[in-house]
Each structure stands twice: as structure tokens, then as C-alpha cells.
């Protein structure tokens, strides 16, 4: 049980930064700041690509 | 895990968190050698724990700096894109380029950056006619006033961050140690804003590595949890310290830190850990 809680806690921590970028993107969309919302979206995509490529090497 | 081990790991995290929040670096340069040398962990385990610690530091510090408006989120998002591109390239290059020479060159670059930060005064540019340009403001608690600045050399700064991403990816460290000088020296971002923005960025960079280790089941959870708790607590302390250290002193301390990191990297290149 303790190990499961620890696992979940670390998972939540690790994904926090990218979730923050996603929230920033939504917030920027709402502000109609489409340029920077697009930058945030591009960053999410690039980070996903980087993660996949890193897993291959 | 015994209480002494737990407490000592939390302390390691606190030290890294304080440094990370103050200077915008991840603290990996502190965490990895300590875990390898003093705790006898394998380098891979130490790296995985370090990445989780870096995320914790970033999350803690960013929560404060973003709330205070010191972190430049827009600039951070933009520079992080080019850093990630560099990191992808670095992963590919690392398969056929030895990183020993690169680590040594990188440590020389850090020494050069440290010397420039000591010798050159900060050259923040006052914002003028900021129509569509990179103009930002934050409240400096030491000077007790709003500090406005216009980011300079955005494109070349972004290109330098790509190189930073390559180097950081190949050597395993140094994201913040490169990016803060790039933002402060080349892009004329005040040191506090540069460090706070770097804090925001390094969490995203560390995520890419940490999630891989996590999915593969390669994160020693108890160790990582302890270091993460310490990192978070340390980042809270670090953000408090920032509110009474002036920018000039912070630059000087950062230079000393760069010299330390350069020394550690040079020793690492020599194969000590």
C-alpha cells in the first residue's frame, strides 16, 4: 500500500511540469494570445517526441 | 529505509532545492555525485533519483516565482522548444561521439561564463516602444520596485539554447547552468528573472528523462521520494532567500557556483564518477 502511494505520488510529481505547460496553453488560448498558446502546444509536442526518441536510444 | 538514511536523503534534497531555487539550476550536479560517492548507488539510479529531485525543485520554486510574476513563462516556453530540439540531437549524437572532450569544453565554457558574470555588469535594457516585442516586468523585493526589461537577441539566444540542449543531453547535466548565463549575459534578462525562468524550464526538461526512467521501473522510489521531499522544501527556502539577496550579489554567487560545476564536470570527465 505504501509503495503504491509512493509510486502514485512520484508519478504525479513527475508529470506536473508538463501539466503546467498544458494549463498555460489553455490559459493563453482563453486570453486569445494564440501565438504563445501555439508555442506552448509546440513545446508539448516536442517534449513528447523527445521522450519517444530518447526511449529508442 | 532507516530514519538516518531518510533524513540524510531529505537533507541532500534540501541542499539541492535551495541551490536550485536561488540559481535556476536543477541540483543534479550536487545530487548525483553525493548519491554515487556517499551512498554507493549506481550512476543510473542516481541519475533517475536526481531527475525526480530536479522536478520537485522546479515545481516548488516555480509555484512561487510564477505567482510573483518573476518567471518569464513566455520566454521560458520559447527557449525550452529550442532546448528540446537540442536535447533530441544530443541523444542521437551521443551514440557516436564521446562526451569526454565535450564535457571538458563545456566546463571551460562555464568558467568563461563565470568570469564574464563577475567582470561584466548586468545590462538589463529598459523597455521602450514595446509593440509586439519581448518586454516584461517583475517586482524586485530587494529594490522594492518594479523592474522592466526588454529581452535582447532572442533568436540567437534561442539558438544558443539549442546548443545548450545538445550539451546537457550528452553530458547529463548543466541545463540551468548554461541557460541562466545565456539569458543574463546574452539576452540581458535580469539575473533573478533569468534564474526564475530557468527554474520553470528545467522541470520540463527533467520530465522527459524522469518519465522514461519511471515507466521503465528504474526509479528507486523510496530514495527518489525522500530527495523529492527535500528538494521541494529546499526550493521553498531558496525562494525566501531570493527575496533578500540583491541581483549583483546573486550574480557573484552564481559565478562561484559555475566554477564549482566546471570543476565537478572536469573531474567527471576524468572518470572519478
Amino acid at each position: 500500500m505504501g509503495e503504491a502511494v509512493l509510486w502514485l505520488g512520484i508519478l504525479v510529481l513527475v508529470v506536473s511540469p508538463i501539466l503546467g505547460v498544458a494549463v498555460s496553453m489553455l490559459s493563453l488560448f482563453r486570453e486569445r494570445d494564440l501565438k504563445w498558446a501555439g508555442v506552448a502546444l509546440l513545446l508539448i509536442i516536442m517534449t513528447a517526441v523527445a521522450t519517444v526518441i530518447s526511449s529508442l536510444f | 529505509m532507516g530514519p538516518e538514511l531518510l533524513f540524510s536523503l531529505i537533507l541532500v534534497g534540501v541542499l539541492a532545492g535551495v541551490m536550485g531555487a536561488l540559481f535556476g539550476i536543477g541540483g543534479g550536479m550536487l545530487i548525483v555525485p553525493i548519491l554515487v560517492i556517499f551512498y554507493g548507488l549506481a550512476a543510473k539510479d542516481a541519475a533517475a533519483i536526481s531527475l525526480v529531485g530536479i522536478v520537485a525543485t522546479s515545481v516548488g520554486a516555480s509555484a512561487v516565482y510564477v505567482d510573483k510574476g518573476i518567471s518569464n513563462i513566455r520566454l521560458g516556453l520559447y527557449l525550452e522548444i529550442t532546448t528540446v530540439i537540442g536535447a533530441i540531437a544530443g541523444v542521437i549524437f551521443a551514440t557516436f561521439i564521446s562526451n569526454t572532450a565535450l564535457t571538458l569544453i563545456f566546463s571551460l565554457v562555464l568558467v568563461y561564463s563565470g568570469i564574464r558574470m563577475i567582470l561584466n555588469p548586468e545590462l538589463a535594457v529598459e523597455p521602450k516602444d514595446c509593440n509586439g516585442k519581448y518586454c516584461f516586468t517583475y517586482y524586485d523585493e530587494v529594490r522594492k520596485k518594479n523592474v522592466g526589461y526588454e529581452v535582447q537577441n532572442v533568436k540567437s539566444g534561442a539558438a544558443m539554447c539549442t546548443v545548450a540542449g545538445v550539451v546537457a543531453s550528452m553530458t547529463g547535466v548543466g541545463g540551468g547552468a548554461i541557460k541562466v548565463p545565456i539569458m543574463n549575459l546574452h539576452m540581458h534578462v535580469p539575473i533573478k528573472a533569468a534564474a526564475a525562468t530557468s527554474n520553470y524550464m528545467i522541470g520540463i526538461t527533467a520530465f522527459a528523462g524522469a518519465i522514461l526512467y519511471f515507466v521503465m521501473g528504474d526509479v528507486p522510489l523510496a530514495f527518489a521520494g525522500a530527495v523529492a521531499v527535500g528538494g521541494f522544501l529546499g526550493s521553498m527556502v531558496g525562494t525566501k532567500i531570493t527575496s533578500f539577496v540583491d541581483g549583483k550579489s546573486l550574480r557573484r554567487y552564481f559565478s562561484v557556483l559555475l566554477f564549482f560545476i566546471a570543476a565537478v564536470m572536469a573531474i567527471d570527465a576524468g572518470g572519478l564518477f
Side-chain angles (χ1 to χ4, degrees), chain B residues 190-205:
Chain B
I191 186 69
K192 286 193 178 181
T197 305
S198 175
N199 258 305
Y200 178 74
M201 293 165 70
I202 55 175
I204 302 165
T205 312

Side-chain angles (χ1 to χ4, degrees), chain A residues 28-49:
Chain A
L28 289 162
F29 264 123
R30 248 196 223 169
E31 288 175 20
R32 293 280 177 258
D33 196 344
L34 298 181
K35 173 187 162 188
W36 289 106
V39 169
L41 178 61
L42 183 59
L43 177 57
I44 292 171
I45 293 169
M46 293 298 308
T47 305
V49 168

